[in-house]
Amino acid sequence: MLTDYGYVMEQINIAKTIKKNNSATTVKFLMLMTIIFIMTFIISVFPVMITVLFLTAPAIIMNIGWLVFAGSV
């Protein structure tokens, strides 16, 4: 936009300033959201992993037993 008004250039400078100042705020927001996501992920996955461990433990023990048996034969 070609005008002689000073506020047009001022708006461009304000946009650059906001872009520069918001990068730190954006990083802080992303770090906060990442921490919240990791906490909720661990809290929701922990009970499931206990169940999976109990379900897979017998299969792992049997496989180790077969490996020991095959090595001794």
Side-chain angles (χ1 to χ4, degrees):
M1 175 179 249
L2 299 172
T3 62
D4 291 332
Y5 301 124
Y7 67 86
V8 175
M9 290 303 293
E10 183 181 346
Q11 289 175 350
I12 294 172
N13 290 336
I14 289 172
K16 288 180 182 178
T17 305
I18 288 173
K19 192 183 296 184
K20 184 170 62 174
N21 290 344
N22 279 349
S23 61
T25 307
T26 305
V27 170
K28 289 178 186 176
F29 178 74
L30 285 175
M31 290 299 294
L32 179 68
M33 295 307 288
T34 304
I35 291 170
I36 291 172
F37 173 76
I38 289 173
M39 288 172 57
T40 55
F41 182 76
I42 290 172
I43 290 170
S44 62
V45 166
F46 183 70
V48 175
M49 288 311 298
I50 293 174
T51 305
V52 170
L53 180 69
F54 278 109
L55 291 174
T56 58
I60 294 171
I61 292 169
M62 286 187 288
N63 283 327
I64 292 172
W66 276 110
L67 290 173
V68 171
F69 174 73
S72 65
V73 171

